[in-house]
Amino acid sequence: MSEAWRYFLLLFGAAVVANILLIRFIALCPFFGVSNSLETSLGMSISVIFVMTMATSVSWIAWNYVLEPLGVGEFLYIPTFILVIASLVQFVEMVIKKTSPPLYKAMGIYLPLITTNCAVLAAATESVKPGFFTKLNIAYHYGFVESIVYTIGVAVGFSLVLILFAAMRERLELAPIPKFFRGVPIAFITAAIFSLAFMGFAGMFGL
Amino acid sequence: MEGGRFIVSTSPHIRDPITTRRIMCHVIVALAPVTVYAVVIHGIHAFYVLVSSIAGAMLGELAMQRGRGLPVTLDDCSALLTGLLLALTLPPQLHWWIALVAGLVATVLGKQIFGGLGHNLFNPALVGRAVAFVSWAGYMNAGYVKTAAIGIANTATHKAIVKAVDVASGASPLAAMKIVYDPASSPIGPGGVPHGIQASSYYKPLFLANPWGCLGEVSALLLILGGIYLLAVRVIGWRIPVIYVGTVAVLTSFTGRDPLFYTLAGGLLIGAIFMATDYTTSPLADKGKILYALGLGLVTWLLRFWSNNPEGVMFAILFMNGLVPIIDRYILPRTYGTVKKPRGGETS
């Protein structure tokens, strides 16, 4: 398996085959929270890609150079990673507030919500202790580059589905949906059917 | 709004006899030969599948519209068509109750919950099939093989494969070729690879009488004739089916496999002609349609050759249905009555 192909598989597997939203059902809160408008979901996607990549690179360093050498990784990684992610989100929030007030206004509550976005924690955790793609025979410890590629895959998969889903929900706004299914219930049903479509990718390239 | 000798009404004033009912009836007429032929080839059990699937679809529509206090629109034939299309994607020996549940799911979850005709995001028939496929995978896969029908087009090739592969798992031509190219996916391990299988020996049965597939896969010829009929009465456009099938064929030959076999086998033709062209779940603009069809071809090719399943048409269409809202948002059709803006502005 060539190096480039391996990276491609890692990226594709993280983005599509084991899509974080539709196959693993992680981070459903921002998924249903932001997806009612295409504009906010675009902003959310960009900030998630940014935060996730940053969070993973810092978490990877924290795991490999601080937690592992001290032998405390197994029980300290969650507080450490959450601390890292929370401070990063604060930083991104300040930058967006300064550079793009309209985007900041549009994202409103959802930017601080990334702090508790389990997808970010999941990507950071998996890049130091990968649990997926066992068939790929990727080593238990991802290298730094591998963990970044994997995280970008997760974030791109998140963004892709979020944006597609936002477009679908905008179209559903105009449909005469039965009263009790309007809003979030129909969004759940749509997500379930879209998730069925993603199940077709299961086992692709032997992942 | 009658006012004496004149009829006063708001626009539109020019009317055409085309109604939902007429369009649905055209599609049903186009599917009728395949349906009848499927029952001839697969026998009475295929008829049970057909009836229970249509009954499920119509029951779902009736229940939802009654429940919501809306006028019942069973007479526009759209539920009938959904049930018929669903049945044509089901294996002939399937239990009747699975077909019934799939039909119910198709109209209730696939269509009516979204607000009914014209508002669904995904093809209702394929939603029904996907739910059945995921819920009863064993039954769906075991429902292909039978018995009396196999005598009709029994080539030596297929006999060899059926012998080599577990008969109960039902080697459809696509599944057989998948094992030929990817021995690891054989249910009895790499040792059981049949040698000397030629995809070309499948041409004739796939074209004229194919006993190893879903109801709607019995004859590629009848499907193509149905497609030509729909093109002739202008119910579908040529772009989606032609580009979809063409993309699959080109990509297949790039992969070094037999493009004609992969065009005729499986659900590609019925999917491309009758399902991908659904008005509600395909893009509005011509450019969007081309993009949609290219995407369908690409995803089908990816799923057929590299996923766990031998066939990928159903998942490809559902996946691309999910992309339609975003395609429609960025690729808009030209507004009626306006002229395309020349590029550069001043040149005209």
Side-chain angles (χ1 to χ4, degrees):
Chain A
M1 209 187 299
S2 78
E3 201 69 349
W5 181 241
R6 215 168 96 108
Y7 284 130
F8 170 76
L9 283 187
L10 204 54
L11 196 72
F12 185 84
V16 178
V17 179
N19 186 282
I20 192 145
L21 289 173
L22 292 180
I23 299 297
R24 283 151 57 195
F25 304 112
I26 297 176
L28 291 186
C29 166
F31 182 46
F32 289 105
V34 217
S35 63
N36 44 20
S37 133
L38 194 58
E39 211 171 311
T40 43
S41 53
L42 275 170
M44 182 76 171
S45 302
I46 291 163
S47 51
V48 161
I49 292 175
F50 179 71
V51 169
M52 257 192 199
T53 319
M54 296 288 286
T56 300
S57 46
V58 180
S59 309
W60 191 89
I61 292 167
W63 172 273
N64 281 290
Y65 292 99
V66 181
L67 297 179
E68 272 289 83
L70 295 176
V72 293
E74 277 308 319
F75 57 91
L76 272 188
Y77 76 94
I78 292 178
T80 315
F81 290 178
I82 285 183
L83 189 71
V84 165
I85 294 163
S87 37
L88 260 170
V89 172
Q90 292 302 313
F91 171 68
V92 173
E93 196 180 355
M94 284 192 294
V95 170
I96 291 181
K97 201 174 180 179
K98 277 280 182 205
T99 53
S100 169
L103 186 63
Y104 179 76
K105 233 178 215 168
M107 309 238 309
I109 183 74
Y110 299 111
L111 192 59
L113 208 73
I114 301 182
T115 319
T116 53
N117 186 340
C118 41
V120 178
L121 182 63
T125 310
E126 280 161 11
S127 58
V128 293
K129 353 167 51 171
F132 290 86
F133 312 133
T134 42
K135 282 187 198 163
L136 253 188
N137 295 323
I138 287 178
Y140 187 78
H141 281 291
Y142 284 153
F144 185 71
V145 182
E146 278 168 337
S147 69
I148 296 293
V149 170
Y150 174 79
T151 309
I152 291 176
V154 172
V156 165
F158 178 91
S159 313
L160 180 84
V161 171
L162 185 67
I163 290 166
L164 293 178
F165 197 65
M168 281 188 230
R169 281 187 75 178
E170 286 195 345
R171 207 174 121 168
L172 286 178
E173 292 282 298
L174 305 170
I177 295 161
K179 209 165 146 197
F180 304 118
F181 284 100
R182 240 165 251 170
V184 177
I186 194 72
F188 266 94
I189 288 169
T190 314
I193 298 175
F194 202 33
S195 161
L196 273 181
F198 265 74
M199 283 181 75
F201 291 102
M204 222 165 140
F205 300 118
L207 285 168
Chain B
M1 278 206 268
E2 274 184 64
R5 292 162 56 197
F6 303 104
I7 296 167
V8 181
S9 70
T10 56
S11 62
H13 300 296
I14 302 170
R15 288 178 185 275
D16 191 277
I18 285 275
T19 57
T20 308
R21 189 190 156 88
R22 272 183 77 111
I23 290 174
M24 299 294 166
C25 288
H26 275 311
V27 183
I28 290 168
V29 167
L31 283 171
V34 187
T35 313
V36 173
Y37 193 50
V39 175
V40 170
I41 285 209
H42 291 298
I44 191 71
H45 206 283
F47 184 69
Y48 299 153
V49 171
L50 201 67
V51 169
S52 35
S53 158
I54 293 175
M58 293 179 84
L59 217 70
E61 183 113 332
L62 181 76
M64 281 298 279
Q65 289 182 329
R66 274 278 166 79
R68 292 181 63 193
L70 296 173
V72 175
T73 56
L74 281 179
D75 59 336
D76 74 4
C77 294
S78 63
L80 176 68
L81 177 61
T82 301
L84 177 61
L85 271 175
L86 170 66
L88 291 178
T89 63
L90 293 176
Q93 306 298 327
L94 194 68
H95 290 286
W96 64 270
W97 55 268
I98 297 181
L100 187 80
V101 173
L104 275 170
V105 168
T107 42
V108 174
L109 268 186
K111 190 169 131 198
Q112 286 298 329
I113 273 201
F114 290 98
L117 187 71
H119 298 288
N120 48 304
L121 293 170
F122 300 94
N123 189 311
L126 289 180
V127 171
R129 185 181 197 262
V131 168
F133 187 83
V134 171
S135 310
W136 297 288
Y139 287 122
M140 289 290 280
N141 287 330
Y144 289 108
V145 167
K146 212 56 255 169
T147 60
I150 287 188
I152 294 176
N154 211 350
T155 64
T157 307
H158 197 76
K159 264 186 203 157
I161 296 168
V162 168
K163 231 180 252 169
V165 181
D166 184 9
V167 179
S169 77
S172 70
L174 274 178
M177 292 313 283
K178 194 178 178 75
I179 293 167
V180 170
Y181 283 105
D182 180 16
S185 72
S186 165
I188 52 170
V193 185
H195 288 290
I197 305 294
Q198 294 295 319
S200 56
S201 65
Y202 278 116
Y203 290 164
K204 205 177 144 200
L206 284 175
F207 205 66
L208 295 173
N210 167 26
W212 315 289
C214 298
L215 285 181
E217 295 168 13
V218 281
S219 162
L221 177 69
L222 291 179
L223 287 175
I224 294 169
L225 287 179
I228 292 172
Y229 171 75
L230 288 184
L231 277 174
V233 295
R234 295 186 166 201
V235 166
I236 62 172
W238 62 271
R239 285 183 184 82
I240 293 174
V242 171
I243 295 175
Y244 182 8
V245 174
T247 313
V248 171
V250 168
L251 288 174
T252 304
S253 54
F254 278 158
T255 329
R257 301 200 197 177
D258 189 333
L260 186 59
F261 170 77
Y262 280 96
T263 306
L264 295 176
L268 179 59
L269 286 173
I270 189 167
I273 298 170
F274 295 98
M275 294 181 173
T277 52
D278 179 17
Y279 298 140
T280 318
T281 56
S282 61
L284 295 167
D286 285 346
K287 268 190 210 161
K289 285 192 171 113
I290 293 168
L291 194 66
Y292 171 72
L294 287 173
L296 281 170
L298 181 72
V299 176
T300 306
W301 170 74
L302 279 174
L303 290 181
R304 272 189 173 179
F305 294 165
W306 288 287
S307 83
N308 281 346
N309 303 313
E311 179 58 301
V313 171
M314 169 180 75
F315 288 121
I317 296 179
L318 282 175
F319 180 75
M320 287 308 288
N321 283 167
L323 263 67
V324 167
I326 199 111
I327 294 176
D328 267 346
R329 200 180 150 102
Y330 289 109
I331 304 176
L332 298 166
R334 184 173 60 89
T335 312
Y336 184 70
T338 60
V339 187
K340 208 177 176 182
K341 265 186 208 158
R343 220 173 258 182
E346 295 171 352
T347 46
S348 64

